[in-house]
Each structure stands twice: as structure tokens, then as C-alpha cells.
């Protein structure tokens, strides 16, 4: 069986077509844009992680302060006087 002339080729072409070059360019550009967006998101998450750690440290400090006994303020009514 022989190939019809021009219908199929045994070898791949050595050059890109214009359309192929445009597709390759957009793919490369979109990959770099995606990488930049991922980096932005990572930086944002890292800064938020640091802020969350600070908030939890403050919570721990507040909980430790509440464990200490408080000084009572105000009037004290004796139980036997006003029954």
C-alpha cells in the first residue's frame, strides 16, 4: 500500500505554523501569569498565617490573665444585717 501524495507525511515538520507559534506563545505567557498569581497567593497566606499566630498569642495571654484571681470592687453587704 502506498501513501497518496500530500495526504500523509512520514516525518514531522521542522517549523511551526503561525497558528502553532501563537498557541505556544499564549501557553507560555499564561503559565508565567499563573506562576505569578500563585506566588501572590502564597505571600498573602504567609502574612495571614503570621497575623493568626499573633492573635492566638494574645488569646493565650488573656486566658492566663483571667486565671489570676481578681480584686473585688463595689459594696459588700453582710448577710446577717439585712435578712
Amino acid at each position: 500500500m502506498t501513501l497518496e501524495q500530500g495526504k500523509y507525511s512520514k516525518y514531522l515538520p521542522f517549523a511551526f505554523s503561525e497558528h502553532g507559534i501563537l498557541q505556544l506563545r499564549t501557553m507560555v505567557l499564561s503559565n508565567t501569569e499563573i506562576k505569578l498569581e500563585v506566588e501572590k497567593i502564597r505571600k498573602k497566606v504567609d502574612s495571614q498565617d503570621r497575623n493568626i499566630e499573633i492573635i492566638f498569642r494574645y488569646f493565650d495571654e488573656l486566658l492566663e490573665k483571667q486565671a489570676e484571681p481578681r480584686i473585688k470592687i463595689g459594696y459588700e453587704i453582710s448577710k446577717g444585717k439585712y435578712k
Side-chain angles (χ1 to χ4, degrees):
M1 179 176 202
T2 60
L3 294 175
E4 296 176 22
Q5 188 169 354
K7 191 163 186 180
Y8 300 104
S9 174
K10 291 184 190 178
Y11 308 105
L12 294 174
F14 289 112
F16 287 106
S17 65
E18 269 186 60
H19 184 67
I21 290 173
L22 288 175
Q23 284 182 331
L24 181 65
R25 180 180 176 271
T26 56
M27 185 180 74
V28 169
L29 288 177
S30 68
N31 283 344
T32 55
E33 288 174 0
I34 290 171
K35 287 178 184 178
L36 290 173
E37 288 297 320
V38 168
E39 284 300 315
K40 281 183 186 178
I41 292 171
R42 280 190 182 143
K43 287 178 184 177
K44 196 174 200 179
V45 167
D46 286 342
S47 68
Q48 288 176 351
D49 284 345
R50 280 188 238 120
N51 291 339
I52 290 172
E53 286 178 24
I54 291 170
I55 289 171
F56 277 109
R57 272 193 244 136
Y58 285 135
F59 282 150
D60 289 338
E61 288 177 16
L62 286 173
L63 289 173
E64 287 174 10
K65 283 182 182 178
Q66 287 182 354
E68 297 172 2
R70 291 182 164 189
I71 299 171
K72 293 185 179 182
I73 59 171
Y75 294 104
E76 224 176 276
I77 299 173
S78 61
K79 294 179 182 179
K81 215 175 195 183
Y82 294 103
K83 269 189 167 181

